[in-house]
């Protein structure tokens, strides 16, 4: 108890002195948003067309320098390789030094170049030490520390007399809580409850006044980051989370998940009527594979349906929680009426951990690839047609089509492919990007997403007075009590998507189906390049091995990430059996900085021209190829031993690395002969782990043996 009390006092000191608050100069052109009381005139701040995504910081005030990374120590005691800025590739949480250094780097390098910040939760430490159990006070104080860090970097110094707490920042900051931002972790009961009330107080600077009542009830809200143009929706994914035993999905009206989906449906309709667009953000992403199901199925079904119906409004979605860099596609063909209403389990449920281990993440990534290998693609349709023609020839059926005139209206290969994906823009699918974490389970990361601001020019960064105020007496109604659905058109669209037979009597759904876009509406920014379309992102990482500077070059080079896997699921890290080269207790760190891991705008492997759904469909199909073609395929005899700058080995994968099928992956058998690789898949895996896994380990775990 003595150790615990001392460290709580230490935490309080950190909260009080986490960093100096200094006068904040204006940007170089002298423009800065100054929004005082409601009658003040805003001074325009230029839009830069970029926003920051930061997630999963997991601050640990009990972290000890050069402590042990073993499970029973958790970087809190003992002697070991825990570095000054964190124990990379281990399951230890983030020292406060890492948080301070990260925000200092943001202050010096990003603050004046971004328009808003999306913060997707999990700021409190894990409950990973029985000797120092988490408390409500700890969780609260760690989130208060995060607010303080945002104030230090983005806070205003010239609104002393302003009584509006949401006017304390030069740009909007939009938070959400994660499954570790409450006690016990994963569990959030229907609101109002003590946690929604705590965060209503902690995040008073972020939540618009007119939405505070709704936040207290459900923990969700939105902010118009570009007034009258773009809103960011902070979803409370705890009410969708399959591991939250205090709630039960989104099918029943008594559930908070149902209420949140109704709120989202109504708000997205209002945005459509106002000609606005929206970004979805949350902590737990809608993962749905054979080995990983993160959301209750009824919530996944409604979310996918909502994204389908509001595809003209939603620009994109960002999530955290899983710590690995990847993306996922939601297929509207998987929408099932009975599953939507909770009448059946439409997807096989398996026992699973809420946190990804190295092994479970490998299985999950392999499952994603298996799904993507089945995506429609022009080449696959061509192969299917050739196979069909081959079977016809084998049965003696002659093909006289060559000498015949093509039938009128017969679709060519491109038309068939576009029909399969929901039209030329791929509107059958929606997309979610999952950002890797600050907590150094691999390397700490940040992501800056760039979006199209053509036609927006200079816009005030924030003005909560533009938000439509809801009638607090009935959150399911719009202003003045007007109902927000048109049942006939909703049912028509729903019936089309559900492929019901025309002669069968249709049963009305138990909930309101959103209207689809107007038939005359152009595709939305998530599908077609236009204003607010996401153009690309820059992925940053901090190489803690180099920055901590605790090991000789030779010692670091011989470490293997195979050491990460422990029987209990705990990762001790690549360097758990290494001793720091300096015996004294002083840190000999190098300058802390984030480097560019990759930039999608000039990346020669992903080749994303933008972040539209169609671009990601193409990327997913390339990742899913087990027999890659062209530049995605490299013969084993041409293997090169090469590295990449920034000390992340072979980041662009100009090397030959054989891959494997999903079945071979789970057996973990070493390949006897390397035949070929899919360079895009290899890159995807390496980036998922932020370059911390060695090439040979990726070959063994994700590669495939050559046919004998």
């Amino acid at each position: 108890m003595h150790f615990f009390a001392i460290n709580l006092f230490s935490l309080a000191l950190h909260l009080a002195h986490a960093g100096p608050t200094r006068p904040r100069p204006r940007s170089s052109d002298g423009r800065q948003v100054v929004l005082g009381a409601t009658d003040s005139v805003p001074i325009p701040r230029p839009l830069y067309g970029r926003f920051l995504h930061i997630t999963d910081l997991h601050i640990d005030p009990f972290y000890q320098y050069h402590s042990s990374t073993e499970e029973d120590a958790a970087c809190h005691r003992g002697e070991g390789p825990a570095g000054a800025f964190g124990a990379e590739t281990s399951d230890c949480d983030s020292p406060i030094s890492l948080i301070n250094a990260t925000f200092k780097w943001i202050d010096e390098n990003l603050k004046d170049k971004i328009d808003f910040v999306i913060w997707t939760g999990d700021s409190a430490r894990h409950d990973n030490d029985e000797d120092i159990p988490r408390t409500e006070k700890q969780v609260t104080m760690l989130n208060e520390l995060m607010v303080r860090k945002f104030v230090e970097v983005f806070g205003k110094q010239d609104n002393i007399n302003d009584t509006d707490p949401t006017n304390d920042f030069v740009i909007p900051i939009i938070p959400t809580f994660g499954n570790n931002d409450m006690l016990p972790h994963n569990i959030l009961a229907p609101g109002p409850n003590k946690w929604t009330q705590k965060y209503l107080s902690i995040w008073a600077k972020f939540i618009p006044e007119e939405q505070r009542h709704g936040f207290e009830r459900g923990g969700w809200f939105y902010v118009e980051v570009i007034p009258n143009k773009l809103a960011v929706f902070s979803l409370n994914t705890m009410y969708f989370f399959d591991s939250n035993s205090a709630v039960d999905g989104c099918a029943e009206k008594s559930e908070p998940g149902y209420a949140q989906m109704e709120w989202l449906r109504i708000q997205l309709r209002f945005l459509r009527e106002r000609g606005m667009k929206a970004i979805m953000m949350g902590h737990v992403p809608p993962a749905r594979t054979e080995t990983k199901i993160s959301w209750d199925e009824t919530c996944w079904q409604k979310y996918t349906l909502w994204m389908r119906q509001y595809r003209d409004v939603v620009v994109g979605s960002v999530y955290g929680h899983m710590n690995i860099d990847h993306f996922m596609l939601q297929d509207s063909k998987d929408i099932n009426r009975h599953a939507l209403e909770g009448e059946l389990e439409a997807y096989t449920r398996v026992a699973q951990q809420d946190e990804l281990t190295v092994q479970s993440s490998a299985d999950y990534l392999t499952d994603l690839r298996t799904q993507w290998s089945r995506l429609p693609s022009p080449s696959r349709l061509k192969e299917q047609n050739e196979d069909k023609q081959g079977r016809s020839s084998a049965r003696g059926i002659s093909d006289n089509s060559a000498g015949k005139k093509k039938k009128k209206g017969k679709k060519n290969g491109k038309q068939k492919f576009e029909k399969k994906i929901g039209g030329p823009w791929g509107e059958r699918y929606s997309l979610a990007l999952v950002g890797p974490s600050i907590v150094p389970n691999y390397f700490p990361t940040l992501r800056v997403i760039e979006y199209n601001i053509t036609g927006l020019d200079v816009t005030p960064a924030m003005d909560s007075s533009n938000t439509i105020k809801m009638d607090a007496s009935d959150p399911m109604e719009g202003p003045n009590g007007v109902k927000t659905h048109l049942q006939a058109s909703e049912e028509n669209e729903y019936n089309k998507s559900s492929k019901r037979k025309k002669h069968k009597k249709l049963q009305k759904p138990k909930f309101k189906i959103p209207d689809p876009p107007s038939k005359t509406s152009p595709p939305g920014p998530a599908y077609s390049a236009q204003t607010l379309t996401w153009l690309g992102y820059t992925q940053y990482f901090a190489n803690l091995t180099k920055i901590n500077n605790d090991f000789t070059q030779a010692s670091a080079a011989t470490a293997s990430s195979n050491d990460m896997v422990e029987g209990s699921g705990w990762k001790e890290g690549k360097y758990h059996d290494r001793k720091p080269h300096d015996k004294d207790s002083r840190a000999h760190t190098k300058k802390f900085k984030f480097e560019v891991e990759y930039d999608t705008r000039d990346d020669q492997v992903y080749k994303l021209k933008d972040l539209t759904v169609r671009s990601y469909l193409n990327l997913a199909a390339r990742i899913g190829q087990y027999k890659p073609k062209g530049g995605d395929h490299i013969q084993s005899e041409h293997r090169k031993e090469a590295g990449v700058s920034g000390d992340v080995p072979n980041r662009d994968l100009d090397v030959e690395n054989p891959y494997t099928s999903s079945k071979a992956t789970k057996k973990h058998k070493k390949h006897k002969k390397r035949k070929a690789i899919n360079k895009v898949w290899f890159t995807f895996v390496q980036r998922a782990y932020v370059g911390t896994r060695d090439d040979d380990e990726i070959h063994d775990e994700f590669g495939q043996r050559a046919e004998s």
Side-chain angles (χ1 to χ4, degrees), residues 211 214 217-223 231-237 239-240 250 255-273 276-282 286 295 298-317 319 330 430 470 474-478 484-485 490 511-515:
Q211 296 191 60
R217 290 177 57 248
W220 54 74
F221 69 103
Y222 74 91
V223 174
V232 174
F233 281 74
S234 178
L235 302 179
N236 179 5
T237 56
Y239 289 150
F240 306 154
C250 299
E255 290 297 325
Y258 181 98
Q260 182 171 194
M261 284 296 183
E262 284 297 284
W263 168 82
L264 181 61
R265 175 182 65 82
I266 293 167
Q267 298 304 325
L268 289 177
R269 182 186 170 182
F270 288 158
L271 292 197
R272 175 185 281 164
E273 292 171 351
M276 291 183 61
K277 307 302 179 186
I279 292 173
M280 301 293 110
M281 61 166 280
W295 286 14
T298 59
C299 300
W300 186 93
Q301 291 275 334
K302 277 193 175 180
Y303 178 81
T304 302
L305 177 58
W306 271 216
M307 294 303 99
R308 165 72 178 171
Q309 301 299 82
Y310 288 112
R311 60 190 182 273
D312 57 325
V313 177
V314 178
V315 177
S317 303
Y319 295 90
Q330 294 81 50
S430 56
M470 296 293 293
D474 188 352
M476 300 309 150
E477 295 183 354
T484 60
H485 70 288
E490 289 170 348
F511 57 91
K512 301 168 186 176
I513 307 299
D515 283 334

Side-chain angles (χ1 to χ4, degrees), residues 88-89 150 199 253 316 323 400 430 443 452 498 513 567 585 662:
E88 70 274 26
T89 73
F150 279 112
Y199 283 102
K253 290 184 178 181
N323 296 347
N400 298 321
S430 56
F443 282 138
N452 190 339
S498 299
I513 307 299
S585 60
S662 57

Side-chain angles (χ1 to χ4, degrees), residues 326-532:
H326 68 295
F327 64 94
M328 53 188 70
L329 296 165
Q330 294 81 50
D331 186 352
S332 63
K333 293 290 185 183
D334 290 338
I335 296 172
N336 179 289
R337 181 180 68 84
H338 297 291
L340 276 163
E341 297 172 358
E343 295 176 0
L344 57 83
E345 291 289 353
Y347 213 73
T348 304
R349 299 167 70 94
V350 294
Q352 53 194 305
Q353 296 174 310
D354 60 279
E355 304 284 349
L356 282 179
T357 64
V358 172
Q359 181 53 54
S360 64
S361 65
D363 293 341
Y364 168 69
L365 292 174
T366 302
D367 281 351
L368 283 178
R369 189 191 189 197
T370 301
Q371 286 183 349
W372 296 340
S373 70
R374 301 170 185 146
L375 286 172
S377 69
S379 60
R380 187 168 293 111
L381 288 175
K382 183 179 179 181
E383 290 171 0
Q384 291 172 352
N385 289 336
E386 291 174 350
D387 183 57
K388 183 178 180 181
Q389 291 174 3
R391 289 197 302 270
S392 298
S393 299
R395 293 196 300 268
I397 302 173
S398 61
D399 183 7
N400 298 321
S401 60
K404 292 182 179 180
K405 198 172 183 179
K406 191 175 181 180
K407 290 183 179 180
K408 186 177 180 181
K410 188 174 182 180
K411 295 181 178 179
N412 58 32
K414 181 180 178 182
Q415 291 173 323
K416 289 181 179 178
F417 166 66
E418 290 181 349
K419 183 179 179 181
K420 286 274 189 182
I421 64 172
W425 313 106
E427 291 176 292
R428 166 179 163 181
Y429 300 91
S430 56
L431 170 70
L433 302 184
V434 183
S437 59
I438 287 289
V439 66
N441 293 156
Y442 307 107
F443 282 138
T445 69
L446 296 169
R447 176 173 292 177
V448 175
I449 297 177
E450 184 174 351
Y451 63 101
N452 190 339
I453 57 173
T454 302
L456 297 179
D457 299 325
V458 177
T459 307
M462 192 175 185
D463 183 358
S464 60
S465 64
N466 287 318
T467 307
I468 289 182
K469 297 186 178 182
M470 296 293 293
D471 182 356
S473 63
D474 188 352
M476 300 309 150
E477 295 183 354
N480 303 318
V482 178
K483 293 294 181 180
T484 60
H485 70 288
L486 301 173
Q487 192 65 35
S489 60
E490 289 170 348
E491 289 178 6
N492 287 339
E493 175 66 17
Y494 183 76
N495 295 337
K496 291 177 185 177
S497 65
S498 299
K499 292 185 175 179
R500 289 185 173 85
K501 294 181 180 179
K502 293 181 179 178
H503 65 270
K504 189 175 180 180
K505 187 176 180 180
L506 303 176
Q507 181 181 358
K508 286 186 177 182
K510 296 178 181 178
F511 57 91
K512 301 168 186 176
I513 307 299
D515 283 334
S518 165
K519 291 183 178 180
T520 59
S521 297
Y527 298 91
S528 172
Q530 58 192 270
T531 302
L532 298 176

Side-chain angles (χ1 to χ4, degrees), residues 634-643 650 653-658 674 677 679 682 695-696 699:
I634 305 176
Q635 295 296 332
S636 59
E637 59 264 31
H638 296 139
R639 175 167 183 156
K640 302 174 184 179
E641 298 296 334
N650 307 324
L653 291 165
D654 189 28
V655 298
E656 152 57 22
N657 288 303
R674 293 172 176 176
I677 68 163
K679 183 169 66 173
F682 197 102
D695 285 358
D696 287 342
H699 296 329

Side-chain angles (χ1 to χ4, degrees), residues 11 53 628:
L11 171 59
H53 179 207

